[in-house]
Amino acid sequence: MGAVLTGYLAWGFGALPGEKGQILAAIPFKKTSGDLWEGLNITGYGLLIANAVVFASALYFLLMAGMGIPNDISLLFLTIVMVPALPSARWIARWVEGKPNTFTTAGAYFTGLLLAPAGLWGLKSIDNDLFAPGLELIPVLAVMSTCYCFGEGLGRLACISFGCCYGKPLHRLPAMLQKPFARASFVYFGKIKKIVYAEGWEGVPIFPIQAVTAMVLVSSGMAGMFFLLSGNIPAAFWTTIWVSQGWRMASEYFRCDERGGGRWSAYQWSSLCAMVYAGGLFALSAPPPLVAVDLLRGLNSFWNPGGILLLEILWLIVFLYMGRSRVTGSSISLFVRREGI
């Protein structure tokens, strides 16, 4: 799996800063004048986000089933946590950045972490005998945080495609960082890249913060999986939460997009609070069982037509929601190719 993900990320780092591929399709939906139609742009951003979400979701179900938790219970718990967490990605970003069409995974992560204990308590309060076996807070959070690292890391390819969440121009960084990243910097092209229309930095070498973040988080996810498969749930819990949130705090110093005011951004504060909150949950929870996740059992449990259909529907929903561009447009001319008649 590591080799496949490495190849996928390497492809994205090389291909996505360019202009080609940002828009996958333009669908004409309203005639403007003559032969011209206004188009709805379908973006590579939506495709890459959908890929990341489905990969992380599939891994979540596999790992939960590998701990002996039935798929319907895993789905119910995930729904309870994510239904309020996903909209918060937009609400919090709007509050921090003051823009209508923006998202933040930091907001969704913090909301999900905050609600997870209540969701677990709610399930157990309904029927403790039904929901209690294997459904303990720290093991479940270790699985969710591991999957979050993969989803967030792979999702950074979408940021490269759109040109958002960008780093500082290389010449603004300390000299000790300029030389090592001179050949690895991102150079964006295309007037509808966010970094171009917001900053005017077309053709400017940029610190590849999205690539560094992707590698840090995917590596953290791989470490979390190793610990889960080895039965070391506390190590999986601490590694994925502290690396993901610690890097979120540190990475802000290399970014140059809108992060809100203050010496510390709201996202840095939320990451710090998430780390402290996770520590409190661990201290107050029962010691997690030292039981290794059985991936084969997870595959046998989830790899069926129902599970595959669920992932396909999820991919389609995310793609249609995230792939419809709200900040770019297109003008389409339709005509007949006479030479083809």
Side-chain angles (χ1 to χ4, degrees), residues 235-258:
F237 176 84
W238 287 116
T239 298
T240 53
I241 288 179
W242 280 76
V243 170
S244 64
Q245 300 310 297
W247 174 248
R248 180 69 193 222
M249 293 168 61
S251 66
E252 296 279 306
Y253 294 107
F254 298 94
R255 292 177 62 164
C256 208
D257 54 329
E258 176 60 47

Side-chain angles (χ1 to χ4, degrees), residues 176-198:
M176 62 181 296
L177 291 177
Q178 291 184 26
K179 187 174 181 180
F181 285 95
R183 298 184 63 181
S185 61
F186 284 161
V187 180
Y188 292 91
F189 293 98
K191 64 181 181 180
I192 59 173
K193 294 280 191 186
K194 183 178 180 180
I195 190 173
V196 174
Y197 68 72

Side-chain angles (χ1 to χ4, degrees), residues 13-260:
F13 299 160
L16 295 174
E19 188 171 8
K20 185 178 180 180
Q22 182 180 353
I23 303 298
L24 300 179
I27 303 174
F29 72 94
K30 184 172 69 175
K31 197 167 188 177
T32 54
S33 62
D35 294 328
L36 292 180
W37 291 72
E38 184 178 346
L40 171 66
N41 291 339
I42 306 299
T43 64
Y45 181 93
L47 173 70
L48 294 165
I49 287 290
N51 291 347
V53 168
V54 167
F55 181 87
S57 299
L59 189 61
Y60 164 80
F61 285 109
L62 290 177
L63 293 175
M64 292 286 276
M67 290 197 301
I69 300 174
N71 293 327
D72 54 348
I73 305 301
S74 299
L75 177 60
L76 182 58
F77 178 73
L78 185 66
T79 302
I80 291 173
V81 173
M82 296 310 294
V83 164
L86 290 178
S88 71
R90 169 169 284 188
W91 299 335
I92 293 175
R94 283 181 176 179
W95 171 64
V96 173
E97 301 174 30
K99 298 177 181 178
N101 296 306
T102 186
F103 301 88
T104 171
T105 55
Y109 178 86
F110 182 72
T111 304
L113 181 65
L114 198 66
L115 295 178
L120 187 68
W121 176 84
L123 289 178
K124 290 192 172 187
S125 67
I126 296 172
D127 189 333
N128 190 65
D129 293 333
L130 177 63
F131 293 115
L135 195 66
E136 300 298 333
L137 181 61
I138 298 305
V140 170
L141 285 181
V143 168
M144 294 186 73
S145 189
T146 296
C147 297
Y148 162 79
C149 286
F150 280 109
E152 168 80 354
L154 297 176
R156 286 297 158 183
L157 293 185
C159 301
I160 301 172
S161 173
F162 180 43
C164 63
C165 307
Y166 44 85
K168 295 179 179 179
L170 211 58
H171 67 268
R172 292 190 185 179
L173 295 177
M176 62 181 296
L177 291 177
Q178 291 184 26
K179 187 174 181 180
F181 285 95
R183 298 184 63 181
S185 61
F186 284 161
V187 180
Y188 292 91
F189 293 98
K191 64 181 181 180
I192 59 173
K193 294 280 191 186
K194 183 178 180 180
I195 190 173
V196 174
Y197 68 72
E199 309 286 354
W201 291 340
E202 186 170 25
V204 177
I206 303 294
F207 181 77
I209 187 61
Q210 306 101 318
V212 177
T213 296
M215 291 187 291
V216 168
L217 292 181
V218 170
S219 297
S220 175
M222 293 294 293
M225 270 199 69
F226 172 79
F227 289 129
L228 287 171
L229 296 177
S230 302
N232 195 340
I233 290 174
F237 176 84
W238 287 116
T239 298
T240 53
I241 288 179
W242 280 76
V243 170
S244 64
Q245 300 310 297
W247 174 248
R248 180 69 193 222
M249 293 168 61
S251 66
E252 296 279 306
Y253 294 107
F254 298 94
R255 292 177 62 164
C256 208
D257 54 329
E258 176 60 47
R259 318 304 305 145

Side-chain angles (χ1 to χ4, degrees), residues 12 52 86 116 140 268 312 322:
L86 290 178
V140 170
Q268 287 173 304
E312 290 175 342
M322 302 297 291

